[in-house]
Amino acid sequence: MDQDRIHAQKPQQDPENWSTGQIESIRSEDGHCIVTVHTDEGLIELTVTTAIRDLFVSRLPTTKEESPVGEVIWFKRRGRH
């Protein structure tokens, strides 16, 4: 399965090649993490590993107790898109 790329903060290299969106939901499916993001074009689903989910969620400006829903992320879609 092709994986998308997600960052919790604006990428320093080639930021013009990244899109932004607001997290609508995060769920697990078939051993992967599906992040639904609201963009100017509508809702899209991004697929990442659970390790990447843990990494970008830990870098968001939220506490462990707070939900990442509503936070802005930067992303690149890969492979199947």
Side-chain angles (χ1 to χ4, degrees):
M1 176 179 281
D2 290 316
Q3 303 292 314
D4 298 303
R5 296 180 66 192
I6 296 177
H7 283 286
Q9 290 129 15
K10 184 176 182 178
Q12 294 190 7
Q13 290 192 348
D14 302 320
E16 66 279 356
N17 293 325
W18 292 76
S19 301
T20 59
Q22 187 175 31
I23 299 172
E24 288 282 323
S25 66
I26 299 177
R27 71 180 192 281
S28 294
E29 186 176 294
D30 297 328
H32 290 85
C33 176
I34 309 299
V35 182
T36 303
V37 179
H38 178 72
T39 68
D40 291 339
E41 291 81 36
L43 291 178
I44 62 165
E45 290 187 337
L46 304 169
T47 303
V48 296
T49 64
T50 54
I52 294 299
R53 177 206 57 206
D54 293 346
L55 180 63
F56 86 81
V57 168
S58 73
R59 293 181 174 176
L60 290 170
T62 58
T63 65
K64 272 188 165 179
E65 296 78 31
E66 293 177 309
S67 170
V69 171
E71 293 294 330
V72 174
I73 59 169
W74 284 259
F75 66 90
K76 276 188 182 182
R77 300 183 83 189
R78 294 286 192 164
R80 67 197 183 293
H81 309 290

